[in-house]
Amino acid sequence: MSEVMEREASAGTHSGKFDAIVVGGGLGGLYALHRLRRLGLKAKAFEAGSGVGGTWFWNRYPGARCDVESLEYSYAFDNDLQQEWHWPERYGNQSEILQYINHVADRFDLRKDVQLNTRVTAADFDRGRNIWTVKTDKGDVVTAPFCIMATGNLSTPRVPDFKGIERFKGKWYHTGLWPHEGVDFTGLRVGAIGTGSSGVQMIPIVARQAKHLHVFQRTANFSLPARNGPMDLEIEARHKAEYTDRRAAAYDTPFGIAGFPPPTKSALDATPEEREAQYEAKWAEGGSISFLYSYTDILVNKASNDTASEFVRNKIRGIVKDPVTAELLAPKDHPIGTKRLCLDTNYYETYNRDNVTLVNARATPIEEITENGLRTADGTEYEFDAIVFATGFDAMTGALKEIDIRVGNGPALAEKWEGGPTTYLGLMVAGFPNMFTITGPGSPSVKTQMIVAIEQHMDWIADCLGTMRQRGMARIEPTPDAERDWVQHVNDVADSTLYPLANSWYVGANIPGKPRVFMPYVGGFAGYKKKCDAVAANGYEGFSMSK
Ligand code: NAP
């Protein structure tokens, strides 16, 4: 296959030889370009969207906002950048974050190396020459010794396979593929399916516009108040004065964010009154890390977790006036924090509106989409002008598996991963030399502040490429043993926590037929970074390098 591709490369109009190909023009891909350039390497990125920004380019649904605070959710690699950028609110919304990413692309002159509107379809490695040949849907065929997959973790939107969707006469949308011109729901009858982070952010805003909003909830999720608001300028000034130290300190924390004093005792060592006061203070403060940091064992001890879960359930019961709706919204099937904790602004309050109805899509699943709306299993017909799918993504592996990644005649990556993703450190896959994954499965990625994770990965990769160049090495790949041991470790760590008790996208539970494997590394960012550093210091232990 690679010979054919090579011929096309020499014959085609879009060809080229590079030192590295980057797949993706989001936060990961842009930093990869910047870092490769600093190494003196010639790199090119392909991006499917018509603009840079990745997640923040696509997810334009009403209310889309980061749930990591804006002073944290930004690049750390350039002090002038972090000092000069001003975030208007405690949490950045989609358009502010996209504006920031575009600013970075311009400021560091990255656009010239990003080819937009281009989706990578195939990548093939030739072991004889240590060269990746990468193909795109626009007919490009380019080559490079290294390939860096910055394809994102939540970048393959998923609409469930509901029967009849093509018949629907109204308009339907997915939160992860939102029209750029926006959608006005004023006066419309709207059905919203899904109550994860996207749904929880979007529902209060659509409710304010729609004539009536029906929310179809299959699983109730825990959500905490974000307490968003205008940036406190004193906090901003203090944060900026400490930026360098805070960024360094972030590397020593489990989530990649400094400034949260670690808890010191078990929830079970506190009296009920102390616990109530503690949780109440965290609820008032806003944010998820702070809440989960109330006690040492919320994510590892079910009895401790029950105290936090029940506190939030009682909050829901206190906010939502209709007791039946409140009980339906109160999550009981998973411990708090084991599915991605949502942050909201007036989510539960929204169910007190006369124009909002919660439908139990667990008891009466959606059976099919009809011409005029949808029908649930009990035969009820709902009529809608618009349906919004907040139904999530084929997380962590979806985007990589869509690319036909092969090494000669060997199995495709998608085939290798049929039983679940396997990586060494979430950075490389055994049998796929010279291909790095940024924040790949098996790394802390989605369990951290993503930009810290991206920078740590790309810095490690850049150091590795620099070392290879120094030593005259042309090929690197993990050994099968190192990969097997790391996968085992990722699973052992997850099994020592409460995470596996939830049917979450962390285990692929949202995709029918997807193998149940715990994908992110939940052992904490600090320990993970130490492990990556030690691997490099020990001569890239677990990797084999060759000339
Ligand atoms: P999600 O968490 O996977 O939620 C998808 C929702 O759709 C779930 O409620 C799911 O129910 C429901 N659903 C799926 N198929 C369904 C069906 N056939 N019938 C009824 N309901 C169905 O997706 P998401 O909300 O887009 O969030 C994904 C991740 O993106 C988040 O966890 C977070 O990491 C990230 N995100 C972050 C932010 C932020 O920073 N603020 C915002 C948005 C997203 P079940 O739970 O029963 O499967």
Side-chain angles (χ1 to χ4, degrees):
M1 180 166 157
S2 85
E3 268 177 33
V4 175
M5 289 165 98
E6 275 281 291
R7 270 204 306 278
E8 287 178 34
S10 50
T13 45
H14 311 276
S15 62
K17 290 185 178 172
F18 298 89
D19 296 317
I21 300 297
V22 177
V23 185
L27 286 157
L30 291 178
Y31 185 59
L33 280 181
H34 176 70
R35 204 61 184 77
L36 291 166
R37 208 183 272 173
R38 269 173 42 194
L39 271 182
L41 299 182
K42 187 180 165 204
K44 178 175 179 100
F46 292 105
E47 163 56 48
S50 61
V52 297
T55 285
W56 300 104
F57 175 85
W58 297 105
N59 286 268
R60 297 169 188 243
Y61 61 85
R65 191 179 286 284
C66 188
D67 57 13
V68 172
E69 293 188 40
S70 51
L71 286 164
E72 295 293 342
Y73 193 79
S74 54
Y75 289 116
F77 69 84
D78 187 277
N79 193 44
D80 291 344
L81 169 68
Q82 64 187 7
Q83 292 297 337
E84 287 164 28
W85 189 262
H86 169 68
W87 296 99
E89 292 180 290
R90 179 174 174 187
Y91 302 89
N93 71 25
Q94 176 271 333
S95 79
E96 287 153 13
I97 298 172
L98 187 59
Q99 212 180 320
Y100 167 79
I101 298 172
N102 274 288
H103 169 80
V104 172
D106 289 332
R107 185 174 179 129
F108 297 94
D109 195 19
L110 300 171
R111 276 184 213 284
K112 65 178 184 215
D113 292 328
V114 184
Q115 182 172 320
L116 300 172
N117 298 306
T118 309
R119 190 174 284 279
V120 167
T121 53
D124 182 25
F125 188 73
D126 178 346
R127 276 189 184 271
R129 294 178 310 133
N130 293 325
I131 288 287
W132 280 100
T133 301
V134 172
K135 262 186 152 179
T136 77
D137 63 352
K138 294 289 182 293
D140 306 275
V141 186
V142 291
T143 60
F146 296 99
C147 198
I148 295 176
M149 297 296 181
T151 42
N153 285 296
L154 295 154
S155 46
T156 311
R158 184 182 171 271
V159 175
D161 313 316
F162 291 125
K163 243 187 344 187
I165 196 161
E166 68 294 339
R167 282 198 315 238
F168 180 53
K169 287 194 303 200
K171 295 227 164 100
W172 65 265
Y173 309 94
H174 187 287
T175 50
L177 290 169
W178 205 259
H180 286 200
E181 62 279 15
V183 182
D184 182 5
F185 292 102
T186 306
L188 301 186
R189 299 163 303 167
V190 183
I193 303 170
T195 52
S197 297
S198 304
V200 158
Q201 288 187 326
M202 180 196 66
I203 284 162
I205 296 175
V206 175
R208 293 206 297 266
Q209 297 176 359
K211 182 171 173 202
H212 200 97
L213 173 66
H214 281 87
V215 176
F216 292 83
Q217 172 191 275
R218 190 166 65 183
T219 309
N221 255 327
F222 288 100
S223 186
L224 301 176
R227 311 265 180 233
N228 187 38
M231 176 62 69
D232 177 325
L233 297 182
E234 267 177 45
I235 291 180
E236 182 188 31
R238 212 164 43 238
H239 204 103
K240 285 189 171 178
E242 298 165 356
Y243 241 144
T244 310
D245 291 343
R246 291 183 81 107
R247 299 292 200 182
Y251 279 141
D252 271 328
T253 65
F255 308 105
I257 303 177
F260 294 101
T264 51
K265 67 177 182 184
S266 159
L268 303 181
D269 289 338
T271 64
E273 295 73 26
E274 280 169 353
R275 278 198 301 261
E276 195 68 11
Q278 173 79 330
Y279 293 141
E280 196 65 62
K282 304 284 190 171
W283 178 269
E285 184 184 328
S288 54
I289 294 179
S290 169
F291 189 88
L292 293 175
Y293 248 24
S294 295
Y295 294 103
T296 51
D297 51 357
I298 288 185
L299 290 173
V300 293
N301 181 328
K302 178 72 169 58
S304 294
N305 187 291
D306 285 345
T307 66
S309 296
E310 189 59 11
F311 173 85
V312 176
R313 282 191 287 264
N314 282 334
K315 281 287 182 196
I316 299 168
R317 291 171 186 133
I319 296 169
V320 180
K321 295 196 177 115
D322 172 43
V324 176
T325 307
E327 226 32 58
L328 194 51
L329 285 165
K332 294 172 199 88
D333 77 329
H334 65 281
I336 190 167
T338 55
K339 286 183 105 161
R340 169 69 172 233
L341 200 41
C342 304
L343 287 193
D344 71 275
T345 301
N346 295 331
Y347 176 64
Y348 295 116
E349 289 82 350
T350 297
Y351 293 93
N352 292 332
R353 296 176 65 99
D354 291 338
N355 71 333
V356 176
T357 306
L358 183 67
V359 181
N360 184 346
R362 172 79 57 201
T364 54
I366 296 165
E367 200 150 83
E368 66 175 320
I369 309 290
T370 62
E371 254 182 41
N372 297 319
L374 61 80
R375 183 169 40 251
T376 48
D378 58 351
T380 309
E381 302 262 0
Y382 295 87
E383 295 203 347
F384 297 127
D385 304 303
I387 299 178
V388 181
F389 294 97
T391 45
F393 302 85
D394 185 352
M396 304 203 74
T397 54
L400 285 166
K401 286 169 83 174
E402 277 182 357
I403 305 172
D404 186 15
I405 304 173
R406 289 175 191 273
V407 177
N409 295 324
L413 182 72
E415 289 167 79
K416 169 162 173 153
W417 281 6
E418 247 164 27
T422 54
T423 69
Y424 180 37
L425 300 171
L427 276 163
M428 292 195 90
V429 182
F432 291 80
N434 290 8
M435 181 186 84
F436 296 93
T437 49
I438 297 191
T439 65
S443 77
S445 63
V446 292
K447 298 305 301 167
T448 63
Q449 201 275 74
M450 280 301 285
I451 307 180
V452 170
I454 284 167
E455 288 185 320
Q456 182 264 338
H457 261 192
M458 198 51 225
D459 290 345
W460 189 96
I461 293 166
D463 288 347
C464 173
L465 296 182
T467 304
M468 287 178 73
R469 185 163 61 186
Q470 252 173 22
R471 296 192 199 158
M473 296 292 178
R475 187 160 78 208
I476 179 167
E477 59 192 305
T479 65
D481 284 353
E483 182 180 85
R484 191 200 52 231
D485 291 351
W486 182 251
V487 170
Q488 187 61 49
H489 176 60
V490 170
N491 281 292
D492 289 347
V493 172
D495 287 342
S496 70
T497 70
L498 301 177
Y499 282 104
L501 297 182
N503 288 324
S504 64
W505 58 257
Y506 297 147
V507 292
N510 62 323
I511 306 285
K514 190 165 172 170
R516 288 288 184 114
V517 174
F518 202 86
M519 295 186 284
Y521 178 60
V522 289
F525 183 73
Y528 171 79
K529 182 176 185 302
K530 285 193 183 87
K531 168 75 179 169
C532 291
D533 291 347
V535 163
N538 293 333
Y540 292 90
E541 198 174 22
F543 290 95
S544 70
M545 281 195 200
S546 49
K547 298 224 175 209

